[in-house]
Amino acid sequence: MTQPGDNSDHFHPVIENIIFVAIVLVILQMIAENLAVIYHVPQDVTTGIIIAGFLFDLLFTLEFLGRLFVSGKRSGMGYYLKRQKGWIDFIASVPLLLLVSGPALLARFGNIEEGGTALEILMVMKTAKIIRVTRILRLIRAIRLFGHIHQTDSAMTNRHMGMLSTVCVVALIVVLAASHYFPFARTGDQHDYLAWRTPQLNAMIAAFAGDGSRETLLEFIRTNPINSDLIVLKDGSGAELYRSPDYSTLLWTAFHAGRDIPLAGGWSAVLSTHITDGERAKFELALLLCIIGVILFIMFGYAPIFAQQVSDPAFVMLKGLRNPDYNFEVRIREDLARDEIFQLARTFNEEWLPLKNRMRKAKGSESEEKSSLTMEDL
Amino acid sequence: MNDRQQKMSLFLDKLWNNPAISRKPVRKKEREILNFIRENQASLQKVFSSPDYFPGESWNDSVALLLSLLVEKVLDSLAPQIDRIGQGLLQSGVIAHFDSKAGVDARCFGEFLTGLMRTRILRDQYHIVIETITLDLFRRYMPPAIVQRKTIYNEIVRRERLDLDANLIPEFMNAASLFRPLYYHRIPYKKDLPDLVSLHEARLDRKLYDTAVHAMKDYIRERVGQVPECIYLPGLESCLDASAQPDIAGASKLINIMVNRCEAYDPDVKPDRGAESPDKSWFNINRRDAREFGYDARMLDELYQIAGDEGW
């Protein structure tokens, strides 16, 4: 087994570049997916986005399995999962494929009005909705790749930036996930929405059930935007009083996979989830933009500060210790002179470099240096 | 050039133009080749004794030829720089300023330097001096030092009553530094006797040293011409320990610092982010051990401050 190293989970550079492009594209896909929910775009567009999401999840699942296999051979699966953030690759791939995009695709191409398997799949999908946000974690992989480009000299900076980004992103996701369990904090919860919407529909039915005519009720439904989620309304005898003009568009977003929701007086309705889904999509989009903003700030705002205050002085000292010809002092910022790294740098400047200089002079410097020429050169 | 020399010359060209060293300064190239010969003596012995080269010839003969051609190569490479320095020295008017009758010929001066550089020890010294002049270290540091009027100005101009235009002071320093390597040059010091001594060898015996300085003055007059003492003496004395002999000229102290700065300078080694600039680092490191290395600590302080201000 090879020695564990930072690159032991790496594929061929061409594959790494393809994955990097896929990560960028999946972020765009996430934005498009949320925008599609917010603006309730036509079903075929949404279908395209769902298929794209499935393909990305499939690709990232294969990537995860590939890395697991490759690092298993090189440095051990445990090393990859723990030290190389393989757990992030896992969370952002396999569960999404099995619980989100896979079921979504099956539900899309199944017949939801017939119930059965597709219906059950949708239920699973809805309970697993919360893990959708873990797609954002793929950004961490992009940061790791980007970090190698941005801070090529410093493994410490790369790792630190990756760690900090992971902590920030995971913290935001955990807060979002936790907020789902607090009624006062959650947004776009379908159960809450239904609990809020049902009394409204009951009040509307009560108002028109006595003496109101069917036309007045229909007029009220059509003119009141809040009822745009109403797909079908049936009276106590089961007769259909109202069917939305967007019936076919809305049906695939219906609560309980299109089954009737019982209302007061034996009435029932089929309701669309698109309003509450839109709220959730807005929240997720805000979270996504927030995470992208945090990551960009870390990469471009914090990384240079970290490099200047930690990794650059360490790098200069390391190079000065290793390379006999590298005799540059570490630049010490007076306002940070009490930091441990700069105290170390001061010792390096004041003790090591003069000692090295004395040794160099005593040794006669260049005469003992190894020549850059070899017999092979001839 | 006979066949034997041609073969060796081609061999040397391969080394000299090797991409690993082709962009290095002449001083480093020569050092690289000498180190290469030392490291690969056994393999080279086999190569030179092969039928393609010099079968039947001893290693000593082969290597002597190689070294003599290397010296010629080095001198040929430095010839344009030496000519330029000689011309610059005479055209600057520094020598004429001190002695209008001084008759120094640029060609003679160039030949004098080239002749001295055939000796390894003097060649090593001249390499660095030529680099110091080529890098314009004096032209870089003197103007701010003159403006500041601190230690360097006081030591070089006021104390020595140097009546020179500010623009000519760097030229004066360059001219003086050209005589620094003569400190290691062995010359006859007793009339009609072949005994040789260098100022370096005589430095511990005051009487002998004074005799050697006297002999050196005569030597310079004979070989170069009427060079004013205030030019060559600071160069010769620049090798002395400034902390042990604080009375030596300020120009000597500055030449000593700058030539040593240049010796440590490597254009291939660039400071990374987070490192101080090359000159600032060097001055600060060396001012801590100024006494040990024979530098003037106050000058190093000032140079450190100038390098910091200018970002050098």
Side-chain angles (χ1 to χ4, degrees):
Chain A
M1 188 184 288
T2 55
Q3 199 69 13
D6 280 334
N7 296 331
S8 60
D9 65 337
H10 279 203
F11 293 134
H12 188 276
V14 176
I15 299 174
E16 291 291 350
N17 288 337
I18 291 170
I19 291 168
F20 182 77
V21 172
I23 289 169
V24 174
L25 289 177
V26 85
I27 302 302
L28 297 177
Q29 187 270 341
M30 284 170 71
I31 294 171
E33 190 179 16
N34 284 316
L35 288 175
V37 175
I38 292 166
Y39 293 106
H40 199 56
V41 297
Q43 199 176 346
D44 52 345
V45 177
T46 313
T47 304
I49 293 170
I50 288 171
I51 293 169
F54 173 78
L55 292 176
F56 279 125
D57 285 341
L58 185 66
L59 173 73
F60 289 118
T61 299
L62 293 174
E63 179 216 348
F64 166 72
L65 294 173
R67 285 194 201 280
L68 195 66
F69 177 72
V70 167
S71 34
K73 281 173 77 179
R74 291 179 188 163
S75 54
M77 290 180 185
Y79 184 81
Y80 165 64
L81 288 171
K82 283 184 195 166
R83 304 289 295 274
Q84 293 179 310
K85 299 194 182 73
W87 61 274
I88 288 177
D89 293 344
F90 171 76
I91 291 173
S93 60
V94 181
L96 288 167
L97 182 74
L98 297 179
L99 300 174
V100 180
S101 60
L105 193 73
L106 282 176
R108 177 67 199 89
F109 291 106
N111 187 349
I112 61 167
E113 283 182 303
E114 285 176 6
T117 314
L119 197 142
E120 284 160 18
I121 287 166
L122 259 181
M123 291 304 289
V124 172
M125 195 182 87
K126 283 179 182 174
T127 53
K129 218 166 197 177
I130 199 160
I131 66 165
R132 253 176 26 173
V133 290
T134 57
R135 276 189 184 143
I136 296 167
L137 285 173
R138 282 177 191 149
L139 271 174
I140 302 294
R141 169 66 64 180
I143 291 163
R144 289 169 65 192
L145 295 173
F146 181 72
H148 285 291
I149 301 161
H150 189 59
Q151 297 288 338
T152 42
D153 291 337
S154 173
M156 180 170 65
T157 307
N158 285 331
R159 201 186 62 253
H160 185 75
M161 291 307 115
M163 199 167 64
L164 189 63
S165 307
T166 308
V167 168
C168 290
V169 173
V170 170
L172 282 166
I173 290 172
V174 167
V175 168
L176 171 74
S179 74
H180 191 73
Y181 296 98
F182 297 98
F184 54 87
R186 64 187 167 218
T187 309
D189 182 79
Q190 292 183 356
H191 187 265
D192 288 352
Y193 182 79
L194 204 56
W196 170 77
R197 192 76 178 100
T198 309
Q200 282 187 333
L201 289 171
N202 285 336
M204 183 182 78
I205 291 162
F208 291 96
D211 51 352
S213 67
R214 184 173 180 260
E215 281 66 35
T216 317
L217 176 63
L218 293 178
E219 187 61 24
F220 179 79
I221 291 170
R222 287 187 194 114
T223 53
N224 203 337
I226 200 170
N227 293 320
S228 64
D229 60 345
L230 193 59
I231 303 171
V232 173
L233 183 67
K234 293 175 185 169
D235 64 13
S237 64
E240 193 173 296
L241 287 179
Y242 170 79
R243 177 178 276 234
S244 169
D246 300 324
Y247 176 81
S248 59
T249 316
L250 288 179
L251 191 62
W252 67 281
T253 63
F255 275 97
H256 303 153
R259 283 181 296 175
D260 290 349
I261 297 164
L263 298 171
W267 287 48
S268 63
V270 178
L271 278 178
S272 164
T273 61
H274 78 272
I275 293 177
T276 184
D277 285 349
E279 290 300 312
R280 184 161 193 89
K282 279 181 191 170
F283 181 71
E284 281 184 17
L285 197 59
L287 180 80
L288 177 64
L289 295 176
C290 180
I291 286 172
I292 292 171
V294 165
I295 286 170
L296 287 178
F297 173 77
I298 289 171
M299 296 310 296
F300 295 103
Y302 179 67
I305 294 170
F306 180 82
Q308 197 182 43
Q309 297 182 6
V310 182
S311 64
D312 285 353
F315 181 75
V316 171
M317 285 189 277
L318 183 66
K319 212 168 165 185
L321 285 165
R322 282 180 174 168
N323 184 348
D325 294 327
Y326 193 86
N327 298 303
F328 299 107
E329 291 193 315
V330 177
R331 188 179 297 131
I332 297 173
R333 271 178 54 176
E334 284 312 312
D335 55 327
L336 304 174
R338 291 183 64 194
D339 285 12
E340 286 80 356
I341 188 84
F342 287 115
Q343 287 187 40
L344 180 65
R346 194 174 291 283
T347 308
F348 174 84
N349 288 352
E350 293 177 0
E351 305 291 339
W352 169 247
L353 286 178
L355 178 66
K356 193 176 164 189
N357 194 33
R358 286 196 291 274
M359 290 188 325
R360 187 171 175 267
K361 293 231 178 195
K363 218 171 101 180
S365 67
E366 296 155 326
S367 57
E368 295 301 317
E369 277 175 18
K370 200 172 176 341
S371 174
S372 320
L373 298 165
T374 60
M375 284 304 285
E376 284 72 36
D377 291 332
L378 295 169
Chain B
M1 195 180 271
N2 61 34
D3 183 48
R4 181 171 166 266
Q5 285 175 325
Q6 237 164 6
K7 271 187 190 171
M8 190 60 93
S9 186
L10 282 173
F11 179 82
L12 181 62
D13 283 345
K14 276 188 195 169
L15 292 174
W16 190 264
N17 299 321
N18 190 289
I21 63 165
S22 62
R23 294 183 65 186
K24 293 194 174 190
V26 179
R27 167 170 67 107
K28 299 224 167 187
K29 272 186 170 183
E30 183 185 2
R31 186 92 63 186
E32 288 274 2
I33 292 173
L34 291 174
N35 286 345
F36 169 78
I37 296 168
R38 198 190 61 234
E39 286 163 18
N40 298 286
Q41 188 181 333
S43 310
L44 286 174
Q45 254 174 316
K46 278 183 197 162
V47 172
F48 288 155
S49 60
S50 69
D52 288 342
Y53 281 91
F54 319 111
E57 189 172 294
S58 74
W59 162 250
N60 284 346
D61 288 344
S62 303
V63 85
L65 176 63
L66 179 59
L67 294 180
S68 69
L69 289 173
L70 177 62
V71 172
E72 293 306 321
K73 192 97 186 162
V74 168
L75 294 179
D76 285 349
S77 303
L78 288 176
Q81 272 173 290
I82 293 171
D83 282 349
R84 222 173 13 251
I85 289 167
Q87 295 285 354
L89 171 64
L90 297 174
Q91 284 167 7
S92 68
V94 171
I95 294 177
H97 175 86
F98 291 109
D99 186 352
S100 57
K101 292 174 192 162
V104 180
D105 177 63
R107 195 176 54 82
C108 280
F109 188 68
E111 282 172 7
F112 170 69
L113 293 187
T114 310
L116 291 176
M117 288 177 75
R118 291 190 182 281
T119 316
R120 170 81 196 274
I121 189 164
L122 293 182
R123 190 163 62 253
D124 284 349
Q125 293 293 322
Y126 267 115
H127 272 310
I128 305 164
V129 169
I130 289 169
E131 270 182 51
T132 309
I133 296 171
T134 310
L135 283 172
D136 267 349
L137 284 183
F138 294 114
R139 224 170 272 158
R140 223 190 309 169
Y141 279 91
M142 283 312 294
I146 290 167
V147 171
Q148 288 186 354
R149 296 188 176 239
K150 288 185 184 170
T151 307
I152 294 175
Y153 177 82
N154 288 336
E155 285 269 335
I156 294 174
V157 180
R158 286 183 69 181
R159 206 186 86 180
E160 301 295 324
R161 293 193 174 85
L162 190 66
D163 175 28
L164 257 182
D165 186 82
N167 293 331
L168 280 180
I169 294 176
E171 304 300 333
F172 162 73
M173 301 299 297
N174 284 341
S177 61
L178 283 170
F179 293 91
R180 175 185 162 94
L182 291 176
Y183 181 79
Y184 298 95
H185 187 36
R186 304 185 83 222
I187 52 166
Y189 66 104
K190 287 179 186 166
K191 263 193 177 167
D192 308 324
L193 283 173
D195 296 357
L196 302 174
V197 73
S198 68
L199 295 179
H200 179 67
E201 289 163 341
R203 71 190 185 283
L204 298 175
D205 182 338
R206 188 71 235 177
K207 202 175 159 191
L208 180 62
Y209 183 78
D210 289 342
T211 311
V213 168
H214 206 77
M216 184 57 78
K217 287 176 186 176
D218 294 339
Y219 178 81
I220 291 170
R221 197 181 316 113
E222 273 173 33
R223 302 295 171 97
V224 186
Q226 197 67 38
V227 181
E229 186 178 305
C230 65
I231 291 182
Y232 66 75
L233 205 55
L236 292 172
E237 290 186 342
S238 68
C239 297
L240 297 175
D241 185 336
S243 52
Q245 302 192 49
D247 292 335
I248 59 170
S252 302
K253 296 172 187 171
L254 187 64
I255 289 168
N256 189 26
I257 292 171
M258 288 307 194
V259 169
N260 277 289
R261 165 69 197 107
C262 185
E263 187 182 11
Y265 177 72
D266 188 339
D268 292 336
V269 183
K270 305 273 185 220
D272 291 281
R273 236 177 15 193
E276 287 289 7
S277 56
D279 281 6
K280 195 177 172 193
S281 292
W282 192 88
F283 291 133
N284 203 24
I285 293 166
N286 282 276
R287 72 180 176 164
R288 294 181 209 289
D289 291 313
R291 180 176 284 274
E292 194 177 327
F293 297 145
Y295 301 140
D296 185 303
R298 289 169 309 145
M299 279 193 181
L300 277 170
D301 286 344
E302 192 178 339
L303 291 167
Y304 169 73
Q305 179 248 313
I306 292 172
D309 291 347
E310 303 287 344
W312 294 332

